[in-house]
Amino acid sequence: MLNLIRKDMILQKKTLPFMLLFLFVYLFVNVSTSWVAIVFCIVIIMNAFQTDETSSANLLLNSLPYTRKEIVSSKYIGALIFIFLTLLTIFIGNWMIHREIMQWEILLFITSIVMGLTSFAFPFSYLFNSKYLLIGFGGVFVVYMVTLSFIPNLNDRVRELVQTVLSLDNSLFYLGIILSVGLLYVLSWILSIRIYSRKVF
């Protein structure tokens, strides 16, 4: 399975450094680091997923001495590695540029959102196709833009809500988030294995 994870890293060797460099540049401009990190994580993770999505790639993977459980598991472990690399880039970049150490609450927030989105994206993509997921995200974006026309200060409300959550000083609350997201990720992992095990190529 380590070879499968390494394969994803090798396939991303051109894209990943460019994306991380682009992310580093974003730290110079006045853009929300959290949202940029979330978008970058999702793009990198789903880009790695799409490389194995063609029928020929799946046939090749299934002809190799790997179980379907290992193939799926490599994607979930790889996603965690991509999240770590993105957060490490942000952490180092933020320290070098702004001389600030990012709060662990923000890192936890980014990780939780990305793991949560991935928990829904992977089973959906295994069941259908990631291109439909892109269409779905496009639809959500259109709905969000239409909603902005009715609620102009929606972005400010979302930002205030996030700041309120991040300002909570409750260890049990954060522990609950970690356990909930971790459980969701594991359940998604199991579901994806079952879906992929039943697919016919």
Side-chain angles (χ1 to χ4, degrees), residues 96-172:
M96 291 176 63
I97 296 168
H98 304 294
R99 288 291 185 264
E100 295 177 353
I101 295 179
M102 288 187 69
Q103 297 176 334
W104 66 269
E105 293 93 342
I106 296 176
L107 297 175
L108 175 63
F109 171 76
I110 296 169
T111 304
S112 300
I113 294 294
V114 175
M115 286 180 66
L117 290 173
T118 304
S119 297
F120 289 103
F122 275 3
F124 181 91
S125 298
Y126 277 120
L127 187 60
F128 302 106
N129 193 292
S130 61
K131 68 179 181 181
Y132 298 115
L133 191 66
L134 182 62
I135 294 171
F137 276 129
V140 171
F141 179 75
V142 170
V143 171
Y144 183 76
M145 295 304 292
V146 171
T147 306
L148 279 177
S149 63
F150 295 101
I151 311 174
N153 62 340
L154 181 60
N155 285 334
D156 294 329
R157 290 185 182 184
V158 172
R159 196 175 296 111
E160 288 175 8
L161 177 62
V162 171
Q163 289 299 326
T164 301
V165 171
L166 292 176
S167 63
L168 291 175
D169 188 18
N170 190 329
S171 299
L172 288 176

Side-chain angles (χ1 to χ4, degrees), residues 60-76:
L60 176 61
L61 282 173
N62 284 279
S63 66
L64 295 172
Y66 299 113
T67 64
R68 293 196 175 190
K69 181 179 179 180
E70 289 175 323
I71 294 171
V72 173
S73 296
S74 69
K75 293 299 180 187
Y76 277 83

